[in-house]
């Protein structure tokens, strides 16, 4: 498969300094281009799913590397490497490369364990719970308005009709439908307003949140469909690795003398 030059150039931009081997890809105006750079770009392209290693791909990469070196030499000749904005960009790129390598090495030395992943999964399942709720709500500006809506429902008015006047315009046209969700998906005070309701019941008193006053109706409940540990293990591992890096960063910042 031949990779399009535009996509390849994007891959080339990400290539960092690679130790030169004895064998060179080419020598451009006396400046050698190590063959190892082709291998690095091929690895990037294949990992990104943009193509498979082939002689055709390597030839395209070779031409682009040579062209890039020619352009680099011309840019230096014209003094672009001395421009303040270019120096700043180079400093930022160098910092990002070095810091990213530090992060990779830190995680390699302090890997996320299976026990940590299992503990995080257990915390997630406990927080989510084993039940999902199909809830509707009507959001009002004041407690008095909410109490008036509750009184109308008790008098026989349909919840779905009254929901048309809800402040929540996203659900007003659907009878206040919030669809199926776990209690952890809502603010704690809102979740407390429906977890104790019976199927088909409406909250006896308005439920106050930062958004206003809610009248809540519980349509139904069902067993929660939680993903297995195997299904979410990669995502949990990534999240825990990021958490470790954040904690490491915070430790380093606290130790630093910042004026």
């Amino acid at each position: 498969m031949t990779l399009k030059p535009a996509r390849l150039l994007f891959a080339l931009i990400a290539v960092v300094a690679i130790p030169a081997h004895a064998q060179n890809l080419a020598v451009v105006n006396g400046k050698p281009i190590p063959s190892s750079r082709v291998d690095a770009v091929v690895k990037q392209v294949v990992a990104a799913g943009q193509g498979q290693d082939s002689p055709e791909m390597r030839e395209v990469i070779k031409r682009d590397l040579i062209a890039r070196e020619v352009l680099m030499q011309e840019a230096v000749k014209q003094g672009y490497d001395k421009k303040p904005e270019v120096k700043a960009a180079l400093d930022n790129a160098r910092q990002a490369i070095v810091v990213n390598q530090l992060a990779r090495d830190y995680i390699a030395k302090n890997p996320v364990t299976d026990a940590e992943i299992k503990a995080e999964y257990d915390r997630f399942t406990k927080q989510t719970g084993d039940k999902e709720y199909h809830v509707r709500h009507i959001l009002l500006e004041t407690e008095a308005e909410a109490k008036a809506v509750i009184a109308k429902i008790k008098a026989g008015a349909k919840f779905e009709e009254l929901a048309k006047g809800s402040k929540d315009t996203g659900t007003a046209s659907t009878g206040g439908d919030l669809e199926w969700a776990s209690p952890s998906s809502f603010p704690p005070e809102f979740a407390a307003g429906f977890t104790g309701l019976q199927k088909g019941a409406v909250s006896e008193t308005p439920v106050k949140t930062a958004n206003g006053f809610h009248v809540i109706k519980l349509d139904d409940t069902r067993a929660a469909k939680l993903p297995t540990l195997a299904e979410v293990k990669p995502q949990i591992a990534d999240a825990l690795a990021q958490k470790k890096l954040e904690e490491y960063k915070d430790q380093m910042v606290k130790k630093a003398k910042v004026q």
Side-chain angles (χ1 to χ4, degrees), residues 15-24 33-37 39-40:
V15 176
V16 300
I18 302 169
H21 293 173
Q23 185 179 2
N24 292 322
I33 302 176
S35 299
S36 55
R37 288 189 180 176
D39 296 329

Side-chain angles (χ1 to χ4, degrees), residues 3-238:
L3 198 66
K4 294 182 179 179
R7 296 175 69 184
L8 179 59
L9 183 59
F10 176 80
L12 292 177
I13 292 173
V15 176
V16 300
I18 302 169
H21 293 173
Q23 185 179 2
N24 292 322
L25 172 70
V27 178
V28 180
N29 296 324
K31 176 73 178 294
I33 302 176
S35 299
S36 55
R37 288 189 180 176
V38 174
D39 296 329
V41 179
V42 168
K43 184 177 180 180
Q44 285 184 339
V45 172
V46 172
Q50 296 180 343
Q52 296 297 321
D53 190 354
S54 67
E56 292 81 8
M57 174 190 285
R58 288 178 174 270
E59 182 59 30
V60 171
I61 293 172
K62 176 181 177 180
R63 292 199 301 269
D64 281 351
L65 283 171
I66 291 172
R68 188 165 178 244
E69 179 59 37
V70 170
L71 292 173
M72 179 63 179
Q73 292 182 18
E74 180 60 25
V76 171
K77 183 178 178 181
Q78 294 187 29
Y80 279 91
D81 58 325
K82 301 296 193 298
K83 290 181 177 291
E85 62 270 26
V86 174
K87 284 187 174 182
L90 288 172
D91 286 343
N92 288 335
R94 178 179 179 277
Q95 186 181 67
I97 292 167
V98 174
V99 170
N100 285 340
Q101 187 60 54
L102 171 67
R104 284 191 290 269
D105 288 349
Y106 180 80
I107 291 300
K109 294 174 183 177
N110 302 274
V112 175
T113 66
D114 286 344
E116 289 173 326
I117 294 174
K118 179 64 165 55
E120 180 64 16
Y121 177 77
D122 290 343
R123 187 198 65 79
F124 161 74
T125 55
K126 182 178 180 180
Q127 180 183 17
T128 302
D130 59 357
K131 189 182 294 185
E132 289 182 329
Y133 296 75
H134 189 183
V135 177
R136 296 178 185 273
H137 83 134
I138 303 172
L139 178 60
L140 289 311
E141 188 75 39
T142 67
E143 184 176 15
E145 290 175 324
K147 286 182 175 179
V149 167
I150 293 173
K152 289 178 182 179
I153 294 172
K154 287 183 176 180
K158 289 188 176 181
F159 188 98
E160 290 75 4
E161 284 297 317
L162 294 174
K164 293 178 181 179
S166 176
K167 278 181 57 185
D168 182 357
T169 56
T171 63
S173 62
T174 59
D177 193 358
L178 293 173
E179 302 182 348
W180 288 98
S182 64
S184 61
S185 302
F186 301 99
E189 60 271 29
F190 187 91
F194 65 76
T195 50
L197 293 177
Q198 296 296 316
K199 178 179 176 180
V202 175
S203 53
E204 289 286 333
T205 58
V207 177
K208 184 180 180 181
T209 69
N211 296 317
F213 293 86
H214 307 257
V215 178
I216 305 173
K217 179 184 178 184
L218 176 62
D219 275 1
D220 204 354
T221 62
R222 69 183 183 188
K225 299 177 181 179
L226 298 176
T228 65
L229 174 58
E231 289 173 334
V232 295
K233 185 175 182 180
Q235 296 94 310
I236 294 176
D238 287 343

